[in-house]
Amino acid sequence: MASSLVTRRSVLGGVTALAATLGLDGKALGRATKTLTLVAAPGRSLVAGAPHPDTAVWCFGGQVPGPEIRVRQGERIHVRVENRLPEETTVHWHGIRVPNAMDGVPHLTQQPIAPGETFDYEFTCPDAGTFWYHPHQRSHEQVERGLSGAFIVEEAVPMDVDRDLTWLLDDWRLMHDASISSDFGNMHDVSHSGRLGNTVTINGQVRDTLPVRAGERIRLRLINAANARIFGLEFKDHAPWIVARDGQPVEPHAPEDGRIVLGPAMRADIVLDMDGRPGERFQVLDTFYQGFEYRLVDLAYGDEPPTRPSKISRSVPRLPANPLSEPDIAHARRHEIVLGGGMMGMMRSAIMDGRTVDMRTLMHNGLVWAINGVAAKGHVHEPLLTLERNRSYVLELINDTAWPHPMHLHGHSFRVVSHNGSPTRHREWVDTVLLHRRERAEIAFVADNPGDWMFHCHILEHQAAGMMGTIRVT
Ligand code: C2O
Ligand code: CU
């Protein structure tokens, strides 16, 4: 049996068990509401795999990653988060267009959940697709310690595949005894590429193989839950089709250069036809960082005969669109957003707490990045932009730094309409857009979800060191 299938199943079992045992007063809740409790607590998990010992982690539901949450599109969910960590936390439902009060941003949309306390999140999931959840309180440490999980919203009619698998990819900085290195948020990580680790896991574990069967078609949901690592995945001798980005359907297409690039927080749903023969083995490589390529896992074909005759080329269907408002680009209001700071940057000063301060003062406060000249401390500040509800906007994002930044907007999905001045081929809907050094991109959306929404870099060390702001929709 496929190891990730087993994992997925035990993960699903985890949710059911939690809902049943810790479970929740179903009272006053309609039939269509799914309820579950998610406990955030210290735990132990076998991250590096034998012969290494297990690792002290922080986790949801006693496991890393946390239980995979599954609901149907349009379904309502009630999640009671119970905090048994030694510090405050919150949970953010990354990519799900929730009402502002359910967005999980400490001090901005809710008070953080104190140790021993609970918070009830309840919302409807308007879009089908692959999402994830993680704390938004000191996330550069809490996510790194293992607090994250997949959140799948199923289409009304499931895609016709043999298996639907999730790979939550993570990157850990482990010591020789497999413990997590405690140098969170050190100035070097913060001012360069963020915290890169030395151990990459699929669903919380270093894996050697994904057992597959010749002829089967797999829908693979890739989630990058790493603090800072960018993945560039190549499936040797296989031809993946990208069918969704950040949960949102896209015209099925082969990845550019045959490589699926995912910055932190980004997702891709791919369709993978197992065109190899029984007994064969193929590598899945991560080739993003030149000189640091490595084998992520092998696709290992079992000996069973193919499920269907090979070489019949099969079409890849387009997923049904989600109910997103189409931006009116011709009449959209435009704004520029400039990302600055970091090592090898030109930033000499920035606005902190409303006044201009020099780089030394910024660094003294743990800040090295800025958006439009403002280095954000904490989650509450003057909005970067105030947008009028239901109007269309085009934001031009300009990366004026020597580092990549996956920029994430809460509460909305947006189209990426241009990249370095050229129109994008698929005008993909996403919630996170990756800007490599000195790149620019135009994003377009309708500001249709009222509230104060975070807009930040999802390299969590960059976020913690100032690359964060709020966009207000009134
Ligand atoms: Cu994935 Cu502001 O978060
Ligand atoms: Cu960044």
Side-chain angles (χ1 to χ4, degrees), residues 381-397:
H381 17 78
E382 270 305 295
L384 264 173
L385 294 174
T386 298
L387 309 183
E388 205 179 299
R389 192 173 173 188
N390 292 331
R391 272 199 86 103
S392 294
Y393 288 88
V394 172
L395 308 185
E396 176 161 31
L397 313 181

Side-chain angles (χ1 to χ4, degrees), residues 131-166:
F131 305 96
W132 65 299
Y133 60 95
H134 63 78
H136 221 283
Q137 169 78 354
R138 297 201 335 101
S139 34
H140 68 285
E141 178 171 340
Q142 294 194 4
V143 176
E144 182 65 7
R145 286 188 183 275
L147 289 164
S148 62
F151 193 122
I152 309 298
V153 184
E154 297 169 344
E155 292 91 19
V157 180
M159 196 178 209
D160 180 21
V161 292
D162 299 304
R163 283 197 285 164
D164 181 337
L165 302 180
T166 305

Side-chain angles (χ1 to χ4, degrees), residues 308-370:
R308 56 174 64 77
S310 64
K311 299 295 163 249
I312 297 181
S313 68
R314 304 165 68 196
S315 65
V316 177
R318 197 192 160 115
L319 289 165
N322 282 319
L324 295 160
S325 320
E326 187 62 48
D328 174 0
I329 293 179
H331 300 101
R333 291 193 182 158
R334 303 181 59 94
H335 294 278
E336 228 179 54
I337 294 191
V338 181
L339 314 175
M343 247 5 219
M344 294 175 280
M346 291 295 152
M347 194 162 93
R348 298 275 166 269
S349 64
I351 297 170
M352 179 185 82
D353 292 335
R355 57 193 188 92
T356 303
V357 297
D358 64 11
M359 203 62 195
R360 244 188 65 213
T361 311
L362 288 170
M363 284 181 73
H364 191 73
N365 283 273
L367 300 172
V368 280
W369 304 96

Side-chain angles (χ1 to χ4, degrees), residues 217-359:
R217 168 168 279 190
I218 293 179
R219 174 181 186 167
L220 184 56
R221 302 169 185 266
L222 301 167
I223 302 172
N224 182 354
N227 279 29
R229 178 176 293 277
I230 301 169
F231 290 88
L233 299 187
E234 295 185 31
F235 291 78
K236 284 295 167 201
D237 295 309
H238 286 71
W241 287 82
I242 297 178
V243 296
R245 287 236 178 232
D246 291 0
Q248 303 295 345
V250 65
E251 184 64 36
H253 63 279
E256 228 177 287
D257 310 323
R259 186 162 84 159
I260 299 155
V261 174
L262 288 181
M266 295 167 74
R267 289 89 67 211
D269 285 36
I270 63 173
V271 167
L272 206 51
D273 286 327
M274 294 304 160
D275 292 331
R277 284 188 302 266
E280 287 191 307
R281 235 178 135 110
F282 299 89
Q283 297 192 325
V284 181
L285 303 175
D286 175 4
T287 61
F288 185 79
Y289 299 96
Q290 238 183 28
F292 296 91
E293 298 84 354
Y294 65 96
R295 180 182 71 92
L296 176 66
V297 69
D298 277 358
L299 304 178
Y301 282 74
D303 294 325
E304 313 92 326
T307 55
R308 56 174 64 77
S310 64
K311 299 295 163 249
I312 297 181
S313 68
R314 304 165 68 196
S315 65
V316 177
R318 197 192 160 115
L319 289 165
N322 282 319
L324 295 160
S325 320
E326 187 62 48
D328 174 0
I329 293 179
H331 300 101
R333 291 193 182 158
R334 303 181 59 94
H335 294 278
E336 228 179 54
I337 294 191
V338 181
L339 314 175
M343 247 5 219
M344 294 175 280
M346 291 295 152
M347 194 162 93
R348 298 275 166 269
S349 64
I351 297 170
M352 179 185 82
D353 292 335
R355 57 193 188 92
T356 303
V357 297
D358 64 11
M359 203 62 195

Side-chain angles (χ1 to χ4, degrees), residues 192-193 339 369 401 403-407 456-463 467:
H192 293 74
S193 58
L339 314 175
W369 304 96
T401 80
W403 304 93
H405 305 289
M407 298 303 298
H456 64 87
C457 180
H458 222 290
I459 290 180
L460 300 176
E461 290 72 26
H462 293 180
Q463 178 196 3
M467 196 173 275

Side-chain angles (χ1 to χ4, degrees), residues 98-114:
V98 299
N100 195 247
M102 296 292 117
D103 201 40
V105 180
H107 306 290
L108 185 69
T109 68
Q110 68 172 92
Q111 281 315 303
I113 314 167

